[in-house]
Amino acid sequence: MRPIRIAALGGSLRSGSVSAAALRVCAARARAAGAEVTVVCGTELVLPPYDPEVRFRSAREARLLAALRRADGVLLASPTYHGGMSGLLKNALDHTEGLAEEGYLDGRSVGCLAVAWNEVAGASALASLRASAQSLRGWAVPMGVVVPAGTEFTPDDICTDPRTTRRLDILTDQLLDFARTHRAGHDPAPHRTPTPTTASRA
Ligand SMILES: Cc1cc2nc3c(=O)[nH]c(=O)nc-3n(C[C@H](O)[C@H](O)[C@H](O)COP(=O)(O)O)c2cc1C
């Protein structure tokens, strides 16, 4: 049986990004469990503001959509910016309109984490990630993590805070467990027949 495939999206454009580090911690745990992980992080997410009237697809956008299309599970990691997810990640998610006719993230598990100084703002950002995941028809796993912005990571991406590590581990394990039991439709099941574009935003 082929390995579970995970698309890990997020991080910020800042060197030393905590959300990127947390994403890499989850990616490493998923790989250790045998998953194939494609990380699309930081500058790799820089895309023009999504324009519904533009049909041109850049190589970067094509790579993003290909990673999502292949994935059984998706990991989203964002800094908290003014109580929500970053514009960088939201814009990248807007570009998943390119997957509308395939049902967006239908059938995929989605694990979300937000980084924040303020836990209330972090909870809002986490909620915005989970809302987008669900709007894209993904299955947000029960665990969500707000990573304190002051969390430290070693150069080889070990999180030095055991409590945060434990939460990131649970998040990753739930993502993988769901993906294993509900493999996404690269081989579409009858109930996942592509929806006509006109009904795709239901
Ligand atoms: C534009 C901007 C807005 C921010 N808004 C919030 C906020 O509303 N609440 C909060 O707790 N932290 C906020 N922060 C702090 C970031 O969430 C925090 O620095 C985080 O570590 C950034 O993620 P990164 O390390 O991946 O770049 C903001 C930072 C920036 C640059």
Side-chain angles (χ1 to χ4, degrees):
M1 193 180 282
R2 69 164 175 78
I4 290 293
R5 297 175 189 139
I6 301 296
L9 274 51
S12 73
L13 300 179
R14 201 174 66 80
S15 61
S17 163
V18 174
S19 53
L23 188 73
R24 290 194 298 268
V25 167
C26 296
R29 186 170 177 89
R31 287 192 181 111
E36 198 180 282
V37 184
T38 303
V39 175
V40 187
C41 190
T43 54
E44 294 173 316
L45 288 170
V46 176
L47 296 170
Y50 177 70
D51 179 345
E53 295 188 346
V54 172
R55 292 279 164 201
F56 170 73
R57 189 168 291 172
S58 65
R60 199 176 273 173
E61 180 181 354
R63 179 176 182 253
L64 171 70
L65 296 188
L68 291 170
R69 187 177 285 121
R70 280 168 48 83
D72 303 299
V74 178
L75 197 54
L76 300 176
S78 178
T80 297
Y81 282 175
H82 306 138
M85 77 174 90
S86 69
L88 179 74
L89 183 57
K90 181 60 171 64
N91 184 52
L93 292 179
D94 290 346
H95 280 264
T96 62
E97 274 302 305
L99 299 176
E101 294 195 9
E102 301 157 54
Y104 302 100
L105 302 183
D106 195 10
R108 290 154 178 87
S109 53
V110 184
C112 301
L113 72 91
V115 176
W117 286 112
N118 178 302
E119 60 277 9
V120 176
S124 298
L126 188 61
S128 74
L129 289 166
R130 292 167 65 90
S132 285
Q134 289 170 334
S135 293
L136 292 169
R137 304 190 199 151
W139 295 78
V141 300
M143 189 66 175
V145 184
V146 176
V147 177
T151 303
E152 292 183 353
F153 297 82
T154 65
D156 52 346
D157 292 325
I158 308 290
C159 176
T160 60
D161 173 33
R163 196 161 170 236
T164 300
T165 303
R166 176 82 186 119
R167 290 176 177 182
L168 294 175
D169 288 352
I170 294 169
L171 174 68
T172 307
D173 293 350
Q174 287 192 347
L175 181 70
L176 293 175
D177 284 348
F178 181 93
R180 274 191 207 101
T181 54
H182 195 95
R183 275 175 191 258
H186 318 300
D187 318 308
H191 72 280
R192 244 189 261 123
T193 303
T195 314
T197 313
T198 48
S200 65
R201 289 171 197 81

